[in-house]
Amino acid sequence: MPISSATRRHALRTLSALLLPGSLRAAAASANDPSEAAADCIIPAKAGGGFDLSCALARDALQAVRPTRPPLGQRYLPGGIGAVAFDRIATGRLGGPGTLVAFSSGSLLNLAQGRFGPHPPSAVRWIATLGTDYGVIAVHRDSPYKRLQDLIAALRQEPSRIAFGAGGTVGSQDWVKAALLVRAAGRDHKAMRFVSFEGGGDALGALQGKHVDVFPGDAAEALQAITGGAAVRLLAVLSQTRLGGALTGVPTAREQGVDIVWPTVRGLYLSANVPEASVRAWTTAFQEASAAPGYAALREQHGLYPFALTGAALDEYVAAQIKTYRRLADELGLRRWPS
């Protein structure tokens, strides 16, 4: 019985696929699933800060559920604590299905103020949150401020004598933490001194060198510095209740009479110009990663606490947070640029 030409073509395609080297077969399989292919995680700041932790966690979590994929690359793109990266993704100068970018609550705060250029939140696709960090108030180990109330008392006397140092400029989330602390001391936040750095790593280095007095940053990056031998003391964590692990002994600001809570959610976004199939692939990959049995331990290793969102729930969260941050910006008298 003669074999039809269609059957011969099918047989030849099947044989060709079987004869392909393993790497080429993997490349062909991953062509429609970027979560299986080589990809980069953009760290939109200098080394040593929270964005670093986000990309490291994303790399390790993906590897656990996609063990045959190449490890997620790490690339630094500092500038405006995320502004340069967001603008390049939004304008198409950077992007594609293989380019993820780390974001945090601070990114949403800047976006709410129009500090990321004339781009709406829909200029990118929000892929996943990996967990949440919490703000901390930290000083040098030799600082005269042993408790948060010591610092409050000093701010009450003369806020301009105390130099805060952290990532970002006026209006950034670390600046807001400092402003809220000064207001809690009953003084005008516009009188405070704030030294800007391109990321938490540089700010912690300045604290270590005693070039600034207070670091209103995040717990994970502060603990990373302490683990590395930095002479840093944590006066307070800005969470609703005490946290576990390495922060068990650190009191909350609320415990010390200062009602400031500041969670810092960490996650990833992607260009809005990628195919919908790529968005679904990455969303599925991180859903699987966060549900994997070892993810909780991995997240804790990177200093984060549970907070996993993807898809419509994440889009809704981003929209709600931006509204909240716009109200806060108005309350603090911060300029807002149209976006």
Side-chain angles (χ1 to χ4, degrees), residues 159-325:
S160 63
R161 292 183 59 186
I162 296 168
F164 291 91
T169 58
V170 172
S172 68
Q173 70 166 348
D174 290 346
W175 180 91
V176 169
K177 294 171 202 168
L180 293 176
L181 194 63
V182 173
R183 280 162 56 109
R187 301 302 297 266
D188 186 350
H189 63 277
K190 294 177 183 177
M192 73 176 178
R193 289 169 58 201
F194 186 87
V195 184
S196 300
F197 295 92
E198 185 63 40
D202 282 359
L204 282 161
L207 183 69
Q208 177 80 353
K210 300 183 180 179
H211 305 300
V212 296
D213 303 307
V214 183
F215 171 69
D218 290 320
E221 56 191 354
L223 285 176
Q224 185 181 52
I226 292 170
T227 300
V232 174
R233 180 193 304 125
L234 302 181
L235 298 184
V237 62
L238 307 182
S239 55
Q240 294 91 336
T241 58
R242 283 208 190 195
L243 302 175
L247 294 171
T248 301
V250 181
T252 67
R254 279 182 169 176
E255 283 180 68
Q256 302 175 76
V258 180
D259 191 14
I260 302 176
V261 174
W262 193 275
T264 302
V265 171
R266 300 202 173 279
L268 303 163
Y269 66 80
L270 191 68
S271 169
N273 295 323
V274 303
E276 190 64 31
S278 297
V279 175
R280 289 196 299 270
W282 280 117
T283 299
T284 298
F286 282 106
Q287 285 173 338
E288 292 176 3
S290 63
Y295 185 73
L298 193 59
R299 187 196 63 241
E300 290 171 12
Q301 180 184 323
H302 288 81
L304 298 183
Y305 295 85
F307 193 85
L309 292 177
T310 56
L314 176 54
D315 290 338
E316 291 170 8
Y317 172 81
V318 167
Q321 285 300 105
I322 286 176
K323 285 183 181 178
T324 298
Y325 289 147

Side-chain angles (χ1 to χ4, degrees), residues 61-259:
L62 274 178
Q63 214 62 37
V65 294
R66 302 281 193 276
T68 61
R69 62 159 288 113
L72 189 64
Q74 318 282 287
R75 288 171 53 195
Y76 291 95
L77 183 58
I81 315 296
V84 169
F86 195 94
D87 182 68
R88 290 189 184 178
I89 289 284
T91 56
R93 287 177 290 166
L94 176 70
T99 302
L100 296 161
V101 186
F103 80 90
S104 72
S105 296
S107 308
L108 303 183
L109 176 64
N110 284 331
L111 189 57
Q113 297 174 64
R115 291 174 178 269
F116 279 5
H119 310 300
S122 58
V124 302
R125 296 299 297 269
W126 307 97
I127 297 299
T129 57
L130 304 174
T132 188
D133 198 355
Y134 287 94
V136 291
I137 304 300
V139 295
H140 192 279
R141 195 163 54 207
D142 298 334
S143 170
Y145 312 124
K146 308 300 182 186
R147 302 172 302 117
L148 185 61
Q149 283 300 337
D150 297 335
L151 178 57
I152 290 290
L155 288 169
R156 192 171 290 128
Q157 287 185 353
E158 186 49 68
S160 63
R161 292 183 59 186
I162 296 168
F164 291 91
T169 58
V170 172
S172 68
Q173 70 166 348
D174 290 346
W175 180 91
V176 169
K177 294 171 202 168
L180 293 176
L181 194 63
V182 173
R183 280 162 56 109
R187 301 302 297 266
D188 186 350
H189 63 277
K190 294 177 183 177
M192 73 176 178
R193 289 169 58 201
F194 186 87
V195 184
S196 300
F197 295 92
E198 185 63 40
D202 282 359
L204 282 161
L207 183 69
Q208 177 80 353
K210 300 183 180 179
H211 305 300
V212 296
D213 303 307
V214 183
F215 171 69
D218 290 320
E221 56 191 354
L223 285 176
Q224 185 181 52
I226 292 170
T227 300
V232 174
R233 180 193 304 125
L234 302 181
L235 298 184
V237 62
L238 307 182
S239 55
Q240 294 91 336
T241 58
R242 283 208 190 195
L243 302 175
L247 294 171
T248 301
V250 181
T252 67
R254 279 182 169 176
E255 283 180 68
Q256 302 175 76
V258 180
D259 191 14

